[in-house]
Amino acid sequence: MFFAAMAVIGIVASLGTLRWLENYSGEVSNIALLVISHGSMAVGVPFTLQYAREQVPREFWDDRRFLRTNYCITGVWGAACGVAAIAGAYGDLVLHNSNNLWTGWSIQVAAIIVAPQFTRWYPDVVRARARREQGLPGPEEPPVSHMLLPLAGFLTPVGIVVLAFGAGPVWLGTALIVVGVLLVKSLNRPSAAGPDAGDRA
């Protein structure tokens, strides 16, 4: 409904309103998603619930773990939208540059990388913990590195852009590239506590 309303406004709005939307539509959209996500939690129906129910048998719909998981995931999406809105607003209102590499792109993309990664990672964590509490066999709890790996990989292209377009000091671009590569290698390294640890012991 929100995006349909934005489309209608875009069709019928005056030239001045269209210019305003060109500058601030990203912030307005992110703030709206932040309000929707936290509003849905406030009324007891986190907005991810309708999607999660399509993938989970009905007998689990009222399970406290299932509900708590959706509250956590919805909260993370709301926080990601909030971070993106703040970054965009700072770029537009303080820096007067909506295309600033950091506020217009890097910070916002990083937030949107974290949210879907958390959405994929956290349910597996909850399932693994539930099996462990019940003494059932199953996959181990996925490490946090599984969630952070794409974010670490994002540092390298940001560093390349910094060097290519002069969006920061050379040392910063170089550091982002090096840290990104090292983090990806480190996070990809098998954990000593992994499934083969017992065999090695």
Side-chain angles (χ1 to χ4, degrees):
M1 290 176 63
F2 167 76
F3 288 109
M6 289 287 285
V8 171
I9 291 172
I11 293 171
V12 303
S14 66
L15 189 59
T17 302
L18 287 176
R19 286 202 195 96
W20 188 89
L21 284 174
E22 285 177 2
N23 286 330
Y24 301 109
S25 60
E27 288 83 352
V28 171
S29 298
N30 281 314
I31 290 171
L33 291 171
L34 171 64
V35 171
I36 289 168
S37 62
H38 283 78
S40 70
M41 290 193 293
V43 299
V45 188
F47 79 79
T48 59
L49 202 58
Q50 59 184 315
Y51 306 106
R53 284 175 174 170
E54 296 175 0
Q55 305 175 42
V56 175
R58 181 177 290 272
E59 59 264 28
F60 296 109
W61 287 6
D62 294 322
D63 183 274
R64 62 180 180 83
R65 291 190 187 93
F66 178 67
L67 295 173
R68 187 171 63 238
T69 298
N70 279 279
Y71 274 99
C72 289
I73 293 173
T74 300
V76 167
W77 275 97
C81 292
V83 168
I86 292 170
Y90 185 85
D92 286 337
L93 300 174
V94 178
L95 303 179
H96 304 292
N97 180 7
S98 60
N99 285 319
N100 178 273
L101 172 65
W102 304 104
T103 60
W105 297 98
S106 299
I107 295 173
Q108 297 192 46
V109 170
I112 301 305
I113 286 175
V114 170
Q117 282 300 117
F118 184 85
T119 302
R120 285 188 286 267
W121 171 80
Y122 188 63
D124 289 338
V125 172
V126 174
R127 293 187 194 101
R129 289 175 181 172
R131 284 191 297 266
R132 188 172 65 240
E133 290 172 5
Q134 297 169 20
L136 299 174
E140 292 292 321
E141 182 177 322
V144 178
S145 60
H146 286 190
M147 182 186 67
L148 297 179
L149 186 58
L151 188 61
F154 180 60
L155 294 178
T156 297
V158 171
I160 293 172
V161 171
V162 169
L163 293 178
F165 295 96
V170 172
W171 68 262
L172 177 60
T174 305
L176 286 171
I177 293 171
V178 172
V179 170
V181 170
L182 293 177
L183 275 178
V184 168
K185 287 185 176 180
S186 175
L187 295 175
N188 267 321
R189 189 176 302 133
S191 171
D196 297 329
D199 297 335
R200 290 195 299 269

